[in-house]
Amino acid sequence: MKKLMLGNEAVARGAYEAGVTVATAYPGTPSTEITENIAKYDEIYSEWSPNEKVALEVAIGASIAGARAICSMKHVGLNVAADPLFTVSYTGVNGGLVIVVADDPGMHSSQNEQDSRHYARAAKVPMLEPADSQECKDFVKEAYKISETFDTPVIIRLTTRIAHSRSLVEVSEKENYALKDYKKDFNKYVMMPAMARKRHVIVEKRIDDLKDFADKTNLNRIEWGSKEIGIITSGIAYQYSKEALGENASYLKLGMVYPLPVELIKKFASEVKTLYVIEELEPFIEDLAKKEGIKVIGKELFPLVGELSANLIREKILGINENSTNEINMPIPTRPPVLCPGCPHRGVFYVLKKLKLTVTGDIGCYTLGALPPLESMDTCVCMGASIGMAHGFEKARAREFGKKTVAVIGDSTFIHSGITGLIDIVYNKGNSTVIILDNSITGMTGHQHNPCSGFTIKNEPTKQVDLEKLAYAIGIERVKIVDTYNLKELESVIREEIAAEEPSLIIAQRPCALLKNVKFKGPLRINREKCKLCKICMRIACPAIVDNGSYIEVNEALCVGCDLCTKVCNFNAFERVGDNND
Amino acid sequence: MTNLSIMIVGVGGQGSLLASKMIGTVAMKKNFDVKVSEVHGMSQRGGSVVTYVRLGEKINSPLIEQNSADIIMAFEKLEALRWIKYLKEDGKLIINDQRIDPMPVITGKEKYPEGIIEFLKSKYKDNVISIDALKVAKELGNLRVVNMVLIGILASKTSIEKEVWLEALREVLPAKLQSVNEKAFEIGYNFAVK
């Protein structure tokens, strides 16, 4: 039976069919739906882990215990999980272990554009790259065979356009995978220097074996067309190439991008007239091919930055420009993403801007507080960085500057990697103020539970981290809890805490406005007789309040009725639709 | 059938998922190959979003390039203007006559262009179909059927039988929502024939 499946959904299906029984992840676009879909299979234990490092460690444990395990993350998540990755390469596996990493060329929803293929080479681990949803499913199953045959973790690399595209998938039955026996094996699983030295030799031998395998496996295939043009490609770049060049080229389509099939590449190169490597981001295949003395054209034609497209390939290789020449003589305003109407974060950024504070920020919906007109965030680097950076600001510019600095971080991000930063502030005698934006959910990635939400991935009730107690336990003595809709209290608490000569934590609470159980009173409108056009309401940057020049208007189709605007308006100009004589 | 490339453009949160799901279901019923490319993550928060749907004998790229969309379905006017470069010379443009101001317009840094629909009609003539789908939805008593009105128009511009679209509608929507959505679909389907 064929089904239309998202790439991520197909990865989940592949895990199910391969008999996986343990699945772990921390949510991150574009990887989140993998584990969301795995959670629907009752046969698989799945979890949202606090971060990617823990997720991978759980999966490694499950693998060594004899199960097939899968661990999924976005590209930057692999940085967090890099520590266990490099060493599980040495220990190898028992039950198969697959790590799925989703890169984000074009940075649709990411802070950098790193190419995770480098991790495969650096950690000496094989990497597969599917080009559609069917391959997503098939490659996961193949990855388990490789993992167990070669005693290695296997990485599957997706990119946004594979992860978030739907295509047809032939589904099949679940394989019966029996838990492997667990045998204590000091030399294999305890990586102390004496044992690791021996394992490293095995890893090098394994990579040689995998090179031979790469030349033979049907994961890599040649599709012959015109031999005037030869294309070495993989993943989504293969689809763009086929779209652009069709039968006018021959293709070496790589399903295994590390290690590369050197002999196969040489054979292909010898049969085509001009050879190109078409790959997004880094010249990964190109560099390895050149190292083998194969003459290829790559990044001298194609960009290192952003995504490729069929039109770009046509233009660079065939010299045909099919982009539109139709000029639109109208300026088109940009439409950057914004905090939603009713967003609980809006009030916090309004106050931070009012107080003219330096704000070290973090990763989540609330990063949007950096954009105009709120513009109340100074930095955003990685998960958890806000807290360490606030401490760094204080240590560099002394206490008086520190008093004008706060760190802002979401609840899920705080659990992910904010806790250690906070411990650092206490331990090293900092005075920073940290605001946890506690919206009871992981927002940006689409509402995943986390240790603060009180529910597991399967919506089962569980223990909830008590942020207040946690703060006390690590030595913070000033903890304040405020409602983010209460602007007055929010402002006075922030003023007080930044002035304090010790570290403090403000837990700013209010659930995400998009959560189903969050109810509002319905849209407001402006009474133009009362409105004095002071425009103070424009400072909260609500997408539903529009400045029409001569008057201010509420877009009733967008307004939910959170009433934040009523708290900044000094003239009671906002009224609820339907309250008067409509 | 030669390949059909459809773009659904709008503002994050307007809900293009139902449309792409329904077109995907239609494609499967017709035994076509199909690819749908979606937007998740940050742009969903009120940004400009685009969904690509391609169906036909064999589809390679899930994306649609400039000058190659057969149909663009715009949930919002400004987004129609933003993505018009992707429309084929003789492609169809379906516009929902709704305005959502982006933040730079709200803050007065940029201007929302006046007369978008008139401009597009002067350029693309009869290939532009505009409708106030929000009004239709209000009349039907359910604001969420805006999309279905537009899908109805879209369906009338393809060579795929109406009954197949209705079957898909019944497959992707729960029973209690089918009746109002069928009404919305019919209004859209008959709108452009007039």
Side-chain angles (χ1 to χ4, degrees), chain A residues 138-194:
Chain A
D138 295 344
F139 283 18
V140 168
K141 294 167 85 173
E142 188 63 28
Y144 281 102
K145 289 184 197 149
I146 296 171
S147 176
E148 286 163 9
T149 307
F150 293 90
D151 190 9
T152 177
V154 177
I155 304 176
I156 292 186
R157 180 208 190 213
L158 309 177
T159 56
T160 302
R161 301 299 188 178
I162 298 296
H164 285 165
S165 289
R166 291 179 195 273
S167 60
L168 297 173
V169 177
E170 186 73 51
V171 295
S172 34
E173 292 301 303
K174 178 179 177 303
E175 197 177 306
N176 273 325
Y177 182 81
L179 203 64
K180 288 197 171 176
D181 290 338
Y182 168 68
K183 282 194 290 289
K184 184 169 174 166
D185 188 346
F186 180 82
N187 286 308
K188 190 169 186 295
Y189 298 128
V190 182
M191 285 303 94
M192 295 164 74

Short mmCIF file of all heavy atoms in Angstrom, two decimals, chain A residues 138-194:
data_model
loop_
_atom_site.label_atom_id
_atom_site.label_comp_id
_atom_site.label_asym_id
_atom_site.label_seq_id
_atom_site.Cartn_x
_atom_site.Cartn_y
_atom_site.Cartn_z
N ASP A 138 13.44 3.36 3.44
CA ASP A 138 14.33 2.26 3.06
C ASP A 138 15.73 2.40 3.67
O ASP A 138 16.33 1.41 4.11
CB ASP A 138 14.47 2.19 1.53
CG ASP A 138 13.14 1.85 0.86
OD1 ASP A 138 12.23 1.37 1.57
OD2 ASP A 138 13.02 2.06 -0.36
N PHE A 139 16.24 3.64 3.68
CA PHE A 139 17.61 3.83 4.17
C PHE A 139 17.71 3.59 5.68
O PHE A 139 18.75 3.15 6.17
CB PHE A 139 18.10 5.26 3.83
CG PHE A 139 18.52 5.43 2.39
CD1 PHE A 139 18.11 4.53 1.40
CD2 PHE A 139 19.32 6.50 2.01
CE1 PHE A 139 18.48 4.70 0.07
CE2 PHE A 139 19.70 6.67 0.67
CZ PHE A 139 19.28 5.79 -0.30
N VAL A 140 16.64 3.88 6.41
CA VAL A 140 16.68 3.60 7.85
C VAL A 140 16.86 2.10 8.06
O VAL A 140 17.70 1.65 8.84
CB VAL A 140 15.40 4.11 8.56
CG1 VAL A 140 15.31 3.56 9.98
CG2 VAL A 140 15.37 5.63 8.59
N LYS A 141 16.08 1.32 7.28
CA LYS A 141 16.19 -0.14 7.44
C LYS A 141 17.57 -0.64 7.02
O LYS A 141 18.17 -1.49 7.67
CB LYS A 141 15.07 -0.82 6.63
CG LYS A 141 13.68 -0.50 7.20
CD LYS A 141 12.57 -0.87 6.28
CE LYS A 141 12.16 -2.32 6.42
NZ LYS A 141 10.94 -2.61 5.61
N GLU A 142 18.08 -0.08 5.92
CA GLU A 142 19.42 -0.45 5.45
C GLU A 142 20.47 -0.05 6.49
O GLU A 142 21.44 -0.78 6.74
CB GLU A 142 19.68 0.26 4.11
CG GLU A 142 20.95 -0.16 3.40
CD GLU A 142 20.98 -1.63 2.98
OE1 GLU A 142 19.90 -2.20 2.75
OE2 GLU A 142 22.09 -2.19 2.92
N ALA A 143 20.26 1.10 7.13
CA ALA A 143 21.21 1.61 8.12
C ALA A 143 21.37 0.62 9.29
O ALA A 143 22.47 0.45 9.82
CB ALA A 143 20.78 2.98 8.63
N TYR A 144 20.26 -0.02 9.67
CA TYR A 144 20.36 -1.00 10.77
C TYR A 144 21.20 -2.20 10.36
O TYR A 144 21.96 -2.74 11.16
CB TYR A 144 18.97 -1.40 11.28
CG TYR A 144 18.43 -0.34 12.19
CD1 TYR A 144 17.48 0.57 11.74
CD2 TYR A 144 18.94 -0.18 13.47
CE1 TYR A 144 17.02 1.59 12.56
CE2 TYR A 144 18.50 0.84 14.30
CZ TYR A 144 17.54 1.72 13.84
OH TYR A 144 17.13 2.74 14.65
N LYS A 145 21.07 -2.61 9.09
CA LYS A 145 21.90 -3.73 8.62
C LYS A 145 23.37 -3.34 8.64
O LYS A 145 24.22 -4.10 9.11
CB LYS A 145 21.48 -4.13 7.19
CG LYS A 145 20.13 -4.82 7.15
CD LYS A 145 19.81 -5.28 5.73
CE LYS A 145 18.32 -5.57 5.60
NZ LYS A 145 17.84 -5.30 4.23
N ILE A 146 23.66 -2.14 8.15
CA ILE A 146 25.06 -1.68 8.13
C ILE A 146 25.58 -1.57 9.56
O ILE A 146 26.69 -2.01 9.88
CB ILE A 146 25.17 -0.31 7.42
CG1 ILE A 146 24.78 -0.44 5.95
CG2 ILE A 146 26.58 0.27 7.56
CD1 ILE A 146 24.64 0.89 5.21
N SER A 147 24.76 -1.01 10.44
CA SER A 147 25.16 -0.81 11.83
C SER A 147 25.57 -2.13 12.48
O SER A 147 26.61 -2.22 13.13
CB SER A 147 24.01 -0.17 12.61
OG SER A 147 24.34 -0.06 13.97
N GLU A 148 24.75 -3.15 12.25
CA GLU A 148 25.03 -4.43 12.91
C GLU A 148 26.11 -5.23 12.19
O GLU A 148 26.89 -5.95 12.82
CB GLU A 148 23.72 -5.23 13.05
CG GLU A 148 22.85 -4.61 14.15
CD GLU A 148 21.38 -5.06 14.11
OE1 GLU A 148 21.06 -5.99 13.33
OE2 GLU A 148 20.56 -4.46 14.83
N THR A 149 26.19 -5.10 10.86
CA THR A 149 27.22 -5.82 10.11
C THR A 149 28.61 -5.27 10.42
O THR A 149 29.57 -6.03 10.59
CB THR A 149 26.97 -5.70 8.59
OG1 THR A 149 25.63 -6.10 8.33
CG2 THR A 149 27.93 -6.58 7.80
N PHE A 150 28.70 -3.93 10.49
CA PHE A 150 30.02 -3.32 10.66
C PHE A 150 30.29 -2.87 12.09
O PHE A 150 31.31 -2.24 12.36
CB PHE A 150 30.18 -2.15 9.69
CG PHE A 150 30.22 -2.57 8.24
CD1 PHE A 150 29.05 -2.66 7.49
CD2 PHE A 150 31.41 -2.92 7.63
CE1 PHE A 150 29.08 -3.06 6.16
CE2 PHE A 150 31.46 -3.33 6.30
CZ PHE A 150 30.29 -3.40 5.56
N ASP A 151 29.38 -3.15 12.98
CA ASP A 151 29.52 -2.76 14.39
C ASP A 151 29.81 -1.27 14.53
O ASP A 151 30.82 -0.85 15.09
CB ASP A 151 30.64 -3.60 15.04
CG ASP A 151 30.67 -3.42 16.57
OD1 ASP A 151 29.72 -2.80 17.11
OD2 ASP A 151 31.63 -3.89 17.19
N THR A 152 28.87 -0.48 14.01
CA THR A 152 29.08 0.97 14.01
C THR A 152 27.75 1.71 14.12
O THR A 152 26.74 1.22 13.62
CB THR A 152 29.77 1.42 12.70
OG1 THR A 152 29.90 2.85 12.70
CG2 THR A 152 28.97 1.02 11.46
N PRO A 153 27.73 2.87 14.77
CA PRO A 153 26.54 3.71 14.61
C PRO A 153 26.49 4.20 13.16
O PRO A 153 27.54 4.32 12.52
CB PRO A 153 26.78 4.87 15.57
CG PRO A 153 28.24 4.90 15.84
CD PRO A 153 28.75 3.50 15.63
N VAL A 154 25.31 4.47 12.67
CA VAL A 154 25.16 5.00 11.31
C VAL A 154 24.38 6.31 11.41
O VAL A 154 23.37 6.39 12.11
CB VAL A 154 24.39 4.00 10.41
CG1 VAL A 154 24.17 4.60 9.01
CG2 VAL A 154 25.15 2.68 10.31
N ILE A 155 24.86 7.33 10.68
CA ILE A 155 24.13 8.61 10.66
C ILE A 155 23.32 8.68 9.37
O ILE A 155 23.81 8.34 8.29
CB ILE A 155 25.08 9.82 10.72
CG1 ILE A 155 25.98 9.74 11.97
CG2 ILE A 155 24.29 11.13 10.74
CD1 ILE A 155 27.01 10.86 12.05
N ILE A 156 22.06 9.10 9.50
CA ILE A 156 21.27 9.42 8.31
C ILE A 156 21.12 10.92 8.29
O ILE A 156 20.69 11.54 9.27
CB ILE A 156 19.90 8.73 8.35
CG1 ILE A 156 20.12 7.22 8.19
CG2 ILE A 156 18.98 9.28 7.26
CD1 ILE A 156 18.87 6.42 8.06
N ARG A 157 21.52 11.52 7.16
CA ARG A 157 21.44 12.97 7.06
C ARG A 157 20.26 13.37 6.18
O ARG A 157 20.11 12.90 5.06
CB ARG A 157 22.72 13.53 6.44
CG ARG A 157 22.68 15.05 6.30
CD ARG A 157 23.53 15.51 5.15
NE ARG A 157 23.69 16.96 5.14
CZ ARG A 157 23.80 17.68 4.03
NH1 ARG A 157 23.79 17.08 2.85
NH2 ARG A 157 23.93 18.98 4.08
N LEU A 158 19.41 14.21 6.72
CA LEU A 158 18.31 14.79 5.94
C LEU A 158 18.61 16.27 5.77
O LEU A 158 19.41 16.84 6.50
CB LEU A 158 16.98 14.65 6.68
CG LEU A 158 16.57 13.29 7.23
CD1 LEU A 158 15.26 13.41 7.99
CD2 LEU A 158 16.44 12.27 6.10
N THR A 159 17.95 16.90 4.82
CA THR A 159 17.92 18.36 4.78
C THR A 159 16.45 18.77 4.81
O THR A 159 15.57 17.94 4.60
CB THR A 159 18.60 18.93 3.52
OG1 THR A 159 17.96 18.37 2.38
CG2 THR A 159 20.08 18.61 3.49
N THR A 160 16.20 20.05 5.06
CA THR A 160 14.83 20.55 5.23
C THR A 160 13.89 20.06 4.13
O THR A 160 12.78 19.62 4.39
CB THR A 160 14.83 22.08 5.26
OG1 THR A 160 15.69 22.48 6.34
CG2 THR A 160 13.44 22.64 5.51
N ARG A 161 14.34 20.14 2.87
CA ARG A 161 13.46 19.81 1.75
C ARG A 161 13.15 18.32 1.65
O ARG A 161 12.21 17.93 0.98
CB ARG A 161 14.07 20.30 0.44
CG ARG A 161 14.33 21.79 0.40
CD ARG A 161 13.06 22.60 0.55
NE ARG A 161 13.32 24.02 0.32
CZ ARG A 161 12.38 24.95 0.36
NH1 ARG A 161 11.13 24.64 0.66
NH2 ARG A 161 12.69 26.21 0.14
N ILE A 162 13.96 17.49 2.27
CA ILE A 162 13.66 16.05 2.33
C ILE A 162 12.77 15.79 3.54
O ILE A 162 11.75 15.10 3.46
CB ILE A 162 14.97 15.22 2.43
CG1 ILE A 162 15.84 15.44 1.18
CG2 ILE A 162 14.66 13.75 2.66
CD1 ILE A 162 15.25 14.96 -0.11
N ALA A 163 13.16 16.36 4.67
CA ALA A 163 12.44 16.16 5.93
C ALA A 163 11.01 16.66 5.84
O ALA A 163 10.08 16.04 6.36
CB ALA A 163 13.17 16.86 7.07
N HIS A 164 10.82 17.80 5.16
CA HIS A 164 9.51 18.46 5.14
C HIS A 164 8.81 18.39 3.79
O HIS A 164 7.96 19.21 3.48
CB HIS A 164 9.65 19.92 5.60
CG HIS A 164 9.84 20.02 7.09
ND1 HIS A 164 10.27 21.16 7.71
CD2 HIS A 164 9.64 19.11 8.06
CE1 HIS A 164 10.34 20.94 9.01
NE2 HIS A 164 9.97 19.71 9.25
N SER A 165 9.19 17.42 2.95
CA SER A 165 8.44 17.18 1.73
C SER A 165 7.70 15.86 1.87
O SER A 165 8.20 14.93 2.49
CB SER A 165 9.36 17.10 0.52
OG SER A 165 9.87 18.37 0.22
N ARG A 166 6.51 15.83 1.29
CA ARG A 166 5.75 14.58 1.26
C ARG A 166 5.92 13.93 -0.10
O ARG A 166 5.86 14.59 -1.12
CB ARG A 166 4.26 14.85 1.46
CG ARG A 166 3.92 15.32 2.83
CD ARG A 166 2.43 15.60 3.01
NE ARG A 166 2.26 16.36 4.24
CZ ARG A 166 2.12 15.79 5.44
NH1 ARG A 166 2.07 14.48 5.56
NH2 ARG A 166 2.00 16.54 6.52
N SER A 167 6.13 12.61 -0.11
CA SER A 167 6.07 11.86 -1.37
C SER A 167 5.61 10.45 -1.03
O SER A 167 5.45 10.09 0.13
CB SER A 167 7.42 11.89 -2.10
OG SER A 167 8.44 11.33 -1.32
N LEU A 168 5.38 9.67 -2.09
CA LEU A 168 4.73 8.37 -1.91
C LEU A 168 5.69 7.33 -1.32
O LEU A 168 6.85 7.25 -1.72
CB LEU A 168 4.17 7.88 -3.24
CG LEU A 168 3.08 8.79 -3.82
CD1 LEU A 168 2.68 8.35 -5.22
CD2 LEU A 168 1.86 8.82 -2.90
N VAL A 169 5.16 6.56 -0.41
CA VAL A 169 5.96 5.52 0.26
C VAL A 169 5.17 4.21 0.26
O VAL A 169 4.01 4.19 0.65
CB VAL A 169 6.28 5.92 1.72
CG1 VAL A 169 7.04 4.79 2.42
CG2 VAL A 169 7.07 7.22 1.76
N GLU A 170 5.83 3.16 -0.19
CA GLU A 170 5.25 1.82 -0.12
C GLU A 170 5.55 1.29 1.28
O GLU A 170 6.70 1.09 1.64
CB GLU A 170 5.91 0.94 -1.20
CG GLU A 170 5.32 -0.45 -1.35
CD GLU A 170 3.96 -0.44 -2.02
OE1 GLU A 170 3.85 0.17 -3.10
OE2 GLU A 170 3.03 -1.05 -1.47
N VAL A 171 4.50 1.11 2.08
CA VAL A 171 4.76 0.64 3.45
C VAL A 171 4.74 -0.89 3.49
O VAL A 171 4.09 -1.53 2.67
CB VAL A 171 3.74 1.21 4.47
CG1 VAL A 171 3.89 2.71 4.60
CG2 VAL A 171 2.31 0.84 4.10
N SER A 172 5.50 -1.45 4.41
CA SER A 172 5.48 -2.91 4.57
C SER A 172 5.36 -3.30 6.03
O SER A 172 5.24 -2.44 6.90
CB SER A 172 6.69 -3.55 3.89
OG SER A 172 7.81 -2.74 3.98
N GLU A 173 5.41 -4.59 6.26
CA GLU A 173 5.19 -5.11 7.61
C GLU A 173 6.38 -4.83 8.52
O GLU A 173 7.49 -4.63 8.06
CB GLU A 173 4.96 -6.63 7.54
CG GLU A 173 3.66 -7.03 6.86
CD GLU A 173 2.44 -6.44 7.56
OE1 GLU A 173 2.29 -6.71 8.77
OE2 GLU A 173 1.66 -5.72 6.90
N LYS A 174 6.12 -4.91 9.80
CA LYS A 174 7.16 -4.74 10.80
C LYS A 174 8.01 -6.01 10.86
O LYS A 174 7.48 -7.12 10.84
CB LYS A 174 6.50 -4.50 12.15
CG LYS A 174 7.40 -4.35 13.33
CD LYS A 174 6.52 -4.09 14.55
CE LYS A 174 7.29 -3.99 15.84
NZ LYS A 174 8.11 -5.15 16.18
N GLU A 175 9.31 -5.81 10.92
CA GLU A 175 10.24 -6.92 11.05
C GLU A 175 10.24 -7.37 12.51
O GLU A 175 10.15 -6.53 13.40
CB GLU A 175 11.61 -6.36 10.69
CG GLU A 175 12.70 -7.30 10.35
CD GLU A 175 13.96 -6.50 9.96
OE1 GLU A 175 13.88 -5.62 9.06
OE2 GLU A 175 14.99 -6.75 10.58
N ASN A 176 10.35 -8.67 12.75
CA ASN A 176 10.47 -9.10 14.14
C ASN A 176 11.92 -9.11 14.56
O ASN A 176 12.69 -9.95 14.13
CB ASN A 176 9.86 -10.49 14.32
CG ASN A 176 8.37 -10.38 14.60
OD1 ASN A 176 7.93 -9.44 15.27
ND2 ASN A 176 7.60 -11.29 14.05
N TYR A 177 12.27 -8.17 15.34
CA TYR A 177 13.67 -8.06 15.77
C TYR A 177 13.77 -8.51 17.22
O TYR A 177 13.17 -7.90 18.11
CB TYR A 177 14.16 -6.62 15.63
CG TYR A 177 15.60 -6.44 16.01
CD1 TYR A 177 16.62 -6.77 15.11
CD2 TYR A 177 15.95 -5.98 17.27
CE1 TYR A 177 17.95 -6.61 15.45
CE2 TYR A 177 17.29 -5.81 17.62
CZ TYR A 177 18.28 -6.14 16.71
OH TYR A 177 19.60 -5.99 17.06
N ALA A 178 14.53 -9.57 17.44
CA ALA A 178 14.67 -10.07 18.81
C ALA A 178 15.81 -9.33 19.50
O ALA A 178 16.88 -9.12 18.91
CB ALA A 178 14.96 -11.56 18.80
N LEU A 179 15.55 -8.90 20.72
CA LEU A 179 16.58 -8.23 21.52
C LEU A 179 17.84 -9.09 21.53
O LEU A 179 17.78 -10.28 21.80
CB LEU A 179 16.02 -8.08 22.95
CG LEU A 179 16.58 -7.00 23.86
CD1 LEU A 179 16.28 -5.62 23.29
CD2 LEU A 179 15.97 -7.15 25.25
N LYS A 180 18.98 -8.48 21.24
CA LYS A 180 20.23 -9.25 21.27
C LYS A 180 20.66 -9.48 22.72
O LYS A 180 20.35 -8.70 23.60
CB LYS A 180 21.33 -8.50 20.53
CG LYS A 180 21.13 -8.51 19.03
CD LYS A 180 22.41 -8.15 18.34
CE LYS A 180 22.29 -8.38 16.85
NZ LYS A 180 23.48 -7.95 16.14
N ASP A 181 21.43 -10.56 22.92
CA ASP A 181 21.94 -10.81 24.27
C ASP A 181 22.88 -9.69 24.68
O ASP A 181 23.61 -9.16 23.86
CB ASP A 181 22.73 -12.13 24.30
CG ASP A 181 21.80 -13.31 24.13
OD1 ASP A 181 20.59 -13.16 24.42
OD2 ASP A 181 22.29 -14.37 23.70
N TYR A 182 22.83 -9.34 25.96
CA TYR A 182 23.80 -8.38 26.46
C TYR A 182 24.90 -9.14 27.19
O TYR A 182 24.63 -9.92 28.09
CB TYR A 182 23.15 -7.37 27.41
CG TYR A 182 24.21 -6.56 28.14
CD1 TYR A 182 25.00 -5.66 27.42
CD2 TYR A 182 24.46 -6.75 29.49
CE1 TYR A 182 26.01 -4.96 28.06
CE2 TYR A 182 25.46 -6.03 30.13
CZ TYR A 182 26.23 -5.14 29.41
OH TYR A 182 27.24 -4.45 30.03
N LYS A 183 26.15 -8.93 26.75
CA LYS A 183 27.28 -9.53 27.46
C LYS A 183 28.21 -8.41 27.93
O LYS A 183 28.56 -7.53 27.16
CB LYS A 183 28.06 -10.47 26.52
CG LYS A 183 27.37 -11.83 26.33
CD LYS A 183 28.28 -12.85 25.70
CE LYS A 183 28.62 -12.62 24.25
NZ LYS A 183 27.58 -12.81 23.25
N LYS A 184 28.57 -8.46 29.19
CA LYS A 184 29.52 -7.48 29.70
C LYS A 184 30.81 -7.60 28.91
O LYS A 184 31.33 -8.71 28.72
CB LYS A 184 29.76 -7.76 31.19
CG LYS A 184 30.66 -6.76 31.86
CD LYS A 184 30.63 -6.96 33.36
CE LYS A 184 31.65 -6.03 34.02
NZ LYS A 184 31.44 -5.94 35.46
N ASP A 185 31.31 -6.49 28.39
CA ASP A 185 32.53 -6.54 27.57
C ASP A 185 33.35 -5.29 27.82
O ASP A 185 33.26 -4.29 27.12
CB ASP A 185 32.14 -6.68 26.08
CG ASP A 185 33.35 -6.93 25.20
OD1 ASP A 185 34.50 -6.75 25.68
OD2 ASP A 185 33.16 -7.30 24.03
N PHE A 186 34.16 -5.40 28.84
CA PHE A 186 35.03 -4.35 29.33
C PHE A 186 35.85 -3.70 28.20
O PHE A 186 35.93 -2.49 28.05
CB PHE A 186 35.92 -5.06 30.36
CG PHE A 186 36.94 -4.23 31.04
CD1 PHE A 186 36.57 -3.44 32.13
CD2 PHE A 186 38.26 -4.25 30.62
CE1 PHE A 186 37.53 -2.69 32.79
CE2 PHE A 186 39.22 -3.49 31.28
CZ PHE A 186 38.84 -2.71 32.37
N ASN A 187 36.43 -4.53 27.34
CA ASN A 187 37.31 -4.02 26.29
C ASN A 187 36.57 -3.24 25.21
O ASN A 187 37.13 -2.40 24.54
CB ASN A 187 38.09 -5.16 25.66
CG ASN A 187 39.17 -5.64 26.58
OD1 ASN A 187 39.98 -4.86 27.07
ND2 ASN A 187 39.17 -6.95 26.86
N LYS A 188 35.28 -3.55 25.06
CA LYS A 188 34.51 -2.90 24.00
C LYS A 188 33.76 -1.66 24.51
O LYS A 188 33.61 -0.69 23.79
CB LYS A 188 33.52 -3.91 23.40
CG LYS A 188 32.82 -3.44 22.12
CD LYS A 188 32.08 -4.61 21.45
CE LYS A 188 31.50 -4.25 20.11
NZ LYS A 188 30.46 -3.26 20.11
N TYR A 189 33.27 -1.74 25.74
CA TYR A 189 32.35 -0.68 26.19
C TYR A 189 32.92 0.26 27.25
O TYR A 189 32.27 1.21 27.63
CB TYR A 189 31.05 -1.32 26.69
CG TYR A 189 30.30 -2.08 25.60
CD1 TYR A 189 29.89 -3.39 25.80
CD2 TYR A 189 30.03 -1.47 24.37
CE1 TYR A 189 29.21 -4.10 24.80
CE2 TYR A 189 29.36 -2.17 23.37
CZ TYR A 189 28.96 -3.47 23.58
OH TYR A 189 28.31 -4.16 22.60
N VAL A 190 34.11 -0.03 27.76
CA VAL A 190 34.71 0.89 28.73
C VAL A 190 35.87 1.61 28.05
O VAL A 190 36.95 1.06 27.87
CB VAL A 190 35.22 0.14 29.99
CG1 VAL A 190 35.80 1.14 31.00
CG2 VAL A 190 34.08 -0.64 30.64
N MET A 191 35.63 2.85 27.64
CA MET A 191 36.65 3.55 26.86
C MET A 191 37.62 4.32 27.74
O MET A 191 37.56 5.53 27.88
CB MET A 191 35.99 4.46 25.81
CG MET A 191 35.41 3.71 24.62
SD MET A 191 36.60 2.67 23.73
CE MET A 191 36.35 1.08 24.49
N MET A 192 38.54 3.55 28.33
CA MET A 192 39.70 4.14 29.01
C MET A 192 40.87 4.05 28.02
O MET A 192 40.78 3.30 27.04
CB MET A 192 40.00 3.36 30.29
CG MET A 192 38.86 3.48 31.31
SD MET A 192 39.02 2.22 32.58
CE MET A 192 40.40 2.87 33.52
N PRO A 193 41.92 4.81 28.26
CA PRO A 193 42.98 4.86 27.25
C PRO A 193 43.44 3.49 26.72
O PRO A 193 43.54 3.30 25.52
CB PRO A 193 44.12 5.57 27.99
CG PRO A 193 43.43 6.45 28.97
CD PRO A 193 42.20 5.70 29.40
N ALA A 194 43.67 2.56 27.60
CA ALA A 194 44.23 1.27 27.16
C ALA A 194 43.28 0.56 26.20
O ALA A 194 43.70 -0.01 25.20
CB ALA A 194 44.50 0.39 28.38
#
